[in-house]
Structure formats: C-alpha cells, structure tokens
Amino acid sequence: MALGVQLFTPTGKRTEFTGDETVRVLPRLSAAGQYGKFTYAAMLGVQYRGMTEGFVDTKTGTEFAGGVSVGVKPLDDRLVVGPELYGSTIISGTDDVNFKQPKAPLEVIFGAHYTVGQLRIGGGVGPGLTRGVGSPTLRAVASVEWVPGVAKPKKPVLVPTEDDRDGDGINDNKDACPDIPGVSSDNPQLHGCPVDEATGVLVSIDRDKDRVIDAADKCPDVPGLREPPASLKPEQKALWELKYIGCPDDIDGDKIANIPDACPTIPGQPHKDPARHGCPMVFVSECQIKIMDRIYFKTASDKLETIGEKGRLTQAVLQGVYDVLRANPKITRIEVQGHASQDNYAKNQELSEQRAASVVKWLVERNIEPGRLVPKGYGMSRPAQGVPVDRKNKELHQRVEFHILEPTCEAK
C-alpha cells in the first residue's frame, strides 16, 4: 500500500475544450499485489478541481476518483495483460456521490504493458460505460514510463563451514533450513530460513510437499505422514512424533511398520523377539557389523559348531558377515572380538583369542583380505551390556563381536 499525490498542470484552453486552465491535485491511496501469475491493483482518491462553473448543464468541481485493475503474466514478469476499470463523480456542493449518475464518467480499458530495463511500454483500448463528461465512446491509449534504477543492497558473501554448510552464519544444529541461506528468527522452526522477497515473510521449507516443514520433518526428502498411525498406543505415538514425523509408515519397505520395527531403516524379517523384529541377521550399525544371532563353538573349544541348529545359525551368521564385508569395501579394518563367559574358567582369555582367530580364519579362507581383519580376545573383561552376570546368562556373555576400526567413527 502507498499514499501519493498527482499534480496536473494546465496545458490546454477552455475555449478549445482542451483543458481547465487551472491546476488539479489528486491525493490518493493505492494498493497492489501479486499472487503467482496474477497481479492486481486499486486506487481511491479525491481530485481537487478549481473549475466549478460547469459545462452546459453538467456541474464540475472536486471529484471522488477510483479504479481497479487485474492482470495476468502469461510469459514472464515483464508482460502484464488485463482490464482496468476507473471513473469519478462530483462531490463538491452536493451530497449525491454516485458513480451511476449520468454525469459520472466511468470507463474500462483492456490493455497490456511490457517492461524493458527501466522502461515500461503500454497500450490499451476500451469503451466508456456511462455518458458523463469525459467518458468516450471508445478510447485508445499508449504510454511510456521510466523508473530510475534503485541500487539493491549487496548480499553478504556466504562462507560455508563444517558446522554451517549454507554459510548464513547460523550453525546447522540450530538452522531449520541448513541447506538454504536464511536469517535469524525467534521461531526455532523458521530460524535460518530464507525471506520471501515478494512478501518479506520467512519461508518454511517443505521439499517433499508432505505438509511437514523440513525443520520438523525426519524424512525431509520423502513424502510421509503428518500424524502417527491410529493403531499405536499413546506412548508409541509420542515416540513416533519424536522419531518418524514426516516419514513413510514403513521406511525400509520390509512390510513391518517403523513401530515396532527394531531396524526401521534396514529391511529385515519378522521375529518373535522384539529386539530383532524387522532386522536382518547381519547389518552395519554405526561402528559395528551387528549380528542378530550368535556364532556357536564346540564346548571349551575354538572349533566352530557345524551340526544341528547351532551349526546352521553359525554358518548363516558368518555368511552374513562375509556378504557385508564384500558389499562394503570402504570398511577397511574390523576388530573381530572374542568375549568369554563369567565362569572363571582358567583359559577364558586364551579361548577368547582363539575363537576370534577362528572366525578370522573362516573369512580369510573365503577371500576376505587378511589386512581387513584384526582378531582380539577380551576374556571376561567386557561382559555384554545390560545382561546380568550369572550362570543363567552365561552363553550371552560368551560371544563374538565385529567393531569397525577404519574408517573411524564415534558410537552414538
């Protein structure tokens, strides 16, 4: 919106019906805007006119004036095409302010204008809608407008850093739009987001168009759910909103929903154990190659079990580790850890070392590079986390683990 004043200087003569021979002044209120390809504008004002003696039987004097226009931009922002409606009515010396009066000129113009640099060239044609003074049967107009250039403020030089990848000076851990330069905001969901140049309003980013803004979306590049599935319990819904808002209900596509999937980002199989439900037998997780079943050995021996269900599971786990190593050549060093049970067996340390070496031997015999595997026995020094140290859980502490050494990582 804007307030402005138009000043009309006399250029014609009354005797020739080309002017008032007086100055006219039009203070006005204008409003304009744009929505996509459409643009609109409106104006209201009061035009002071010194000529009051009238013409024939029509009164002249100060007028109430207004207009409205709409347009479309069919090609780009330079071309605008559309109608304009404008008119006026006398208000000095009368209480009858009415655009429907015969003396009130009202007309419409259908036109277009095109902007080239600082010039705007326009033209249009249209009829008068009333028979007031100055309202034509048909009017054609042409215009040339010039607006001097306005220097735009220089944009700051963006310097991306490790903690600020869009270089807008706002650390990624607080930036709601970390990949698009933006500005500060008291709203954490808009802090660091860009400003819409047309409206001056901060823009919330929603790349996947799922109506969950990226600042809150846990899967910002994949359309997902705005609300948790109705089948979840209240405590599960709270967990879903914390971890999966904006994500598909089954991220890994294994037909097991994110809740209760114990491995929601890695396709797996159903399992009666909730800790393994939806997980594959072997997979990479943070700094480990995780195995969801045990590697079994013959009692008090470093010989791998080969018969029965334990033998079948052992071979399946080892094959899974082999497949992961073959599929991930960037994992260049693995510490194969042997751990013993807490039964104070005299040879626990030695046995844990030998069992780690047996696993390495199995993998090397199948062409896994020896330099990628580092066997190490820990004996009883590292019991399994969260497992009671008692005879009942002896076998859970007696285990083999695969920890990634290179590339280096920090466990979360």
Side-chain angles (χ1 to χ4, degrees):
M1 299 187 70
L3 289 171
V5 176
Q6 282 181 279
L7 177 67
F8 301 83
T9 58
T11 57
K13 296 182 179 181
R14 294 188 187 184
T15 55
E16 297 175 357
F17 303 103
T18 57
D20 289 1
E21 296 185 357
T22 61
V23 172
R24 288 180 287 141
V25 180
L26 174 58
R28 64 183 188 179
L29 173 67
S30 301
Q34 181 173 328
Y35 185 80
K37 290 286 186 180
F38 295 92
T39 183
Y40 55 89
M43 183 276 288
L44 291 174
V46 176
Q47 178 173 226
Y48 168 75
R49 194 167 198 164
M51 180 180 175
T52 59
E53 53 265 43
F55 177 77
V56 189
D57 60 348
T58 301
K59 183 176 177 59
T60 60
T62 299
E63 301 172 341
F64 179 75
V68 62
S69 64
V70 294
V72 63
K73 299 181 175 183
L75 299 177
D76 53 33
D77 284 348
R78 295 181 180 182
L79 177 64
V80 179
V81 180
E84 303 176 44
L85 176 70
Y86 57 95
S88 63
T89 187
I90 303 297
I91 60 173
S92 59
T94 179
D95 294 329
D96 188 11
V97 179
N98 187 349
F99 277 106
K100 294 182 179 180
Q101 298 177 71
K103 63 188 178 187
L106 185 66
E107 59 185 291
V108 64
I109 291 283
F110 296 92
H113 57 251
Y114 190 80
T115 302
V116 182
Q118 297 175 4
L119 290 178
R120 187 166 70 173
I121 304 167
V125 63
L129 302 179
T130 65
R131 298 279 66 85
V133 174
S135 182
T137 301
L138 188 71
R139 187 193 301 275
V141 298
S143 66
V144 177
E145 301 172 69
W146 172 71
V147 179
V150 178
K152 294 183 178 181
K154 292 183 178 180
K155 293 184 178 181
V157 178
L158 301 178
V159 182
T161 65
E162 184 178 349
D163 298 321
D164 177 21
R165 58 181 181 265
D166 60 13
D168 60 5
I170 300 172
N171 282 353
D172 292 344
N173 60 350
K174 295 183 179 180
D175 197 331
C177 302
D179 296 306
I180 304 173
V183 299
S184 298
S185 172
D186 293 333
N187 184 344
Q189 294 188 347
L190 295 175
H191 185 52
C193 289
V195 175
D196 187 313
E197 293 184 1
T199 64
V201 176
L202 280 169
V203 179
S204 58
I205 307 300
D206 180 17
R207 294 196 297 270
D208 57 16
K209 309 300 182 186
D210 61 2
R211 297 168 65 194
V212 179
I213 64 171
D214 289 357
D217 200 328
K218 302 303 180 183
C219 301
D221 296 307
V222 182
L225 304 178
R226 297 177 61 204
E227 298 179 353
S231 59
L232 297 181
K233 298 177 181 178
E235 63 274 13
Q236 291 176 321
K237 289 183 179 181
L239 177 63
W240 185 94
E241 290 176 348
L242 180 66
K243 298 180 65 174
Y244 303 117
I245 185 170
C247 292
D249 190 35
D250 178 17
I251 295 174
D252 56 19
D254 60 4
K255 298 184 180 180
I256 299 173
N258 300 331
I259 297 178
D261 196 330
C263 300
T265 61
I266 307 171
Q269 300 83 36
H271 200 282
K272 61 182 179 181
D273 182 354
R276 296 174 55 183
H277 185 53
C279 293
M281 183 173 287
V282 181
F283 59 95
V284 178
S285 176
E286 297 174 356
C287 295
Q288 291 189 57
I289 296 178
K290 296 280 287 185
I291 60 175
M292 302 305 288
D293 259 301
R294 292 183 53 212
I295 295 175
Y296 291 91
F297 298 87
K298 296 183 182 297
T299 304
S301 170
D302 64 347
K303 303 297 183 184
L304 293 165
E305 185 63 76
T306 58
I307 61 174
E309 180 64 14
K310 291 182 178 180
R312 186 191 68 79
L313 288 173
T314 297
Q315 292 300 309
V317 171
L318 289 171
Q319 183 63 45
V321 173
Y322 170 84
D323 292 339
V324 167
L325 288 172
R326 295 289 290 179
N328 294 272
K330 291 183 179 180
I331 299 176
T332 56
R333 282 177 69 81
I334 296 283
E335 184 174 84
V336 181
Q337 298 181 356
H339 298 275
S341 60
Q342 309 296 304
D343 58 1
N344 293 318
Y345 177 56
K347 295 185 177 181
N348 268 345
Q349 178 62 40
E350 180 183 355
L351 186 59
S352 67
E353 295 171 0
Q354 293 171 344
R355 287 180 169 179
S358 292
V359 171
V360 168
K361 181 175 181 288
W362 190 96
L363 293 168
V364 170
E365 287 175 347
R366 287 154 180 80
N367 297 321
I368 297 297
E369 299 88 337
R372 297 176 70 186
L373 305 169
V374 181
K376 187 169 182 178
Y378 284 89
M380 299 182 296
S381 64
R382 295 188 181 183
Q385 292 185 357
V387 179
V389 179
D390 53 31
R391 193 168 186 81
K392 179 182 178 181
N393 294 288
K394 172 182 174 179
E395 287 191 344
L396 296 179
H397 296 287
Q398 184 178 295
R399 68 200 189 280
V400 175
E401 294 181 352
F402 300 85
H403 290 257
I404 299 171
L405 300 179
E406 294 178 8
T408 57
C409 65
E410 295 181 4
K412 299 178 180 179

